[in-house]
Amino acid sequence: MAGRATTRALLLHLAVLAALVVLYWLLPDYHRGVLARVLVLAVFAAGYNIVFGYAGLLSLGHAMFFAAGIYGAGLPVYHLDWGVGAAFATGVGAGALLALVVGMLALRTTGVAFMIVTMMFSQVFYLTTLYFTQWTRGEEGLVLPQAARRLALPGLEIDLSDPASRYFIAVALFSVVLMASFAIVRAPFGRVLVAIRENEERVRMLGYDVFSNKLAAMVISGAFCAAAGAAYAVLFGYIGSTFATIQYSILPLLWVLLGGAGTVLGPLLGTVFMFYVVDITSGYTSAYLLIVGVALIVLVLFFPKGVLGTIRERWLRWLP
Amino acid sequence: MAAVSPLLQTRGLSRSFGGLRAVDSVDFSLDAGEIRAIIGPNGAGKTTFVSLVCGRIAPSAGTILFEGVDVTRLPAHQRVKRGIAYTFQITSIFANLSVFDNVALAAQRRLIDHAERGGSRFSPADLRRGVAEALERVGLADRAEQAAGKLAYGHQRLLEVAMGLALEPRLLILDEPTQGLSDAEIDGFIALVRDIARSATVLLIEHNMPVVMALADRITVMNNGAVLAEGTPAEIRADSAVQHAYLGTPDDD
Ligand SMILES: Nc1ncnc2c1ncn2[C@@H]1O[C@H](COP(=O)(O)OP(=O)(O)OP(=O)(O)O)[C@@H](O)[C@H]1O
Ligand SMILES: [Mg+2]
């Protein structure tokens, strides 16, 4: 029973990853570029999903973790000529550390207060990036020189501005985060997170320290989001404070809601879907945001649990 | 059996809500291995009293000793780790999760604790076995894959008990577990509690007097937040103050 469902779910996720690899040879150039970017953003969404979809914590400040990754990786590359590998690790570490500190404070609140506190922290982060304009160039941002965007491995140097390496690095990062999410939600820890979402007091009375479990979820989430940010910086070569604005806190919420909160593949689906809705409609009309808004309303009305959440409820109970 | 210190002891335990003294300076003592019933009219403070014991709410005054250790300041989750399990009066299961996952949350807690105390790490098979055992004991084994919220009310009560069992507690607090059960289910439940009592101490809040009389070694009667009387079932039956406050007629059913 439980064993077979796990195998089936595992095969499905591996098949999706294989399809992403194969798509490289099937897609025209433009869509390869789009998909590379979307996959990095899907990592951001997957990180948000841990906290929002599984633990049920509605954060409105996750832009700060994405931006912590962007700046944590981008600034050392730009100012200190660091290698891409060390910069990436610094970005991830910065996001995890920030999530630990913010979590310790924000998780004392719940509900609306939690939304506001996370939003305020993120706003402080955004203002900080503006305050240190001499280092960050604020809204205008910094473009990382192409020469710096090289990943030096023993016996091999990868140019991160090359579309093919960019695509496969994005797939690799997404694969790691997808399989990590899969492992987390299948583990006892994931079961506790879902239970916290459903009935916090009952979890406490089963002997769990709810605060520590939420904090652990925040740190993992912060690390994933920062990994997305760090990858974004070194793959696409631009770092700017736009990524710390409230818009980048709302976007992962929308992606996750669309794809299905609390499903492992939902963040990818939501990110792809939203990107193409914006992309296609903006080609036809300047009122594309209106169409995006209508599409969102329709989805929320007919698929309140997101695409995959609805599919799981109706047909595929075994989906993680 | 008087030489050993009691499993659970409270001294002057009190809790007020606004001006209402829901639990008023209760001195209580429970020996290991006992089945103790707490009875009393609605609003007597029974749920509040056991909530103080398990840490679900904080006391206004008084101390709680569990196995001789002062646990008054311990957060609830650490009391559970020490072996105090509480099943809710108002059914409080995870309605959207499967029956299996509900019990697995309790079973994995015990397995994790075992590993932390230096035992071996547990495998998914260990977890499945622990869940199956608990569900077997309450008779829900064939419903493991169902969503808990879809169970009949009586079965949800039994699921609560299974979650308590899977923790393998030293003290299992059952708050009106037979509420909503059919007569046939109640007979099964009495047998189940006798079985549980072989490995745990049971503190049972119950309105159903035949269940209390069938199970309890001793009975504590609460009224207006205080202990009104305590004794064997026979003593409690004979106590005129109890009859007056609670049982109503001298010979209930
Ligand atoms: N959280 C609370 N806030 C305010 N008053 C409360 C609260 N919990 C309980 N009370 C009050 O405390 C008193 C004792 O309630 P309690 O639930 O402990 O009684 P009980 O003996 O369990 O009753 P029942 O048999 O109906 O379950 C009641 O008057 C109740 O209204
Ligand atoms: Mg009660």
Side-chain angles (χ1 to χ4, degrees), chain A residues 283-306:
Chain A
Y284 288 102
T285 160
S286 58
Y288 66 93
L289 278 180
L290 182 71
I291 295 178
V292 172
V294 170
L296 282 175
I297 291 169
V298 168
L299 262 158
V300 169
L301 283 180
F302 292 98
F303 297 94
K305 304 205 161 159

Side-chain angles (χ1 to χ4, degrees), chain B residues 123-227:
Chain B
S123 68
D126 295 330
L127 183 61
R128 279 201 291 277
R129 198 171 328 110
V131 173
E133 266 168 30
L135 286 176
E136 205 81 56
R137 285 175 83 181
V138 302
L140 291 177
D142 53 341
R143 297 180 189 270
E145 295 306 310
Q146 225 172 312
K150 298 256 160 66
L151 291 178
Y153 182 74
H155 286 155
Q156 295 190 6
R157 300 294 310 163
L158 291 174
L159 176 57
E160 278 270 358
V161 176
M163 290 160 80
L165 280 180
L167 288 168
E168 291 187 358
R170 260 163 254 202
L171 171 62
L172 178 61
I173 301 171
L174 298 166
D175 197 346
E176 299 198 24
T178 66
Q179 203 179 46
L181 295 194
S182 70
D183 287 347
E185 286 169 331
I186 286 180
D187 288 342
F189 179 78
I190 290 175
L192 173 62
V193 173
R194 286 210 178 102
D195 179 44
I196 295 170
R198 288 197 309 219
S199 57
T201 305
V202 176
L203 184 55
L204 172 72
I205 298 179
E206 188 54 72
H207 277 299
N208 184 324
M209 287 314 288
V211 173
V212 172
M213 293 303 171
L215 283 172
D217 298 318
R218 292 175 69 78
I219 299 173
T220 300
V221 186
M222 285 186 74
N223 194 23
N224 291 327
V227 174

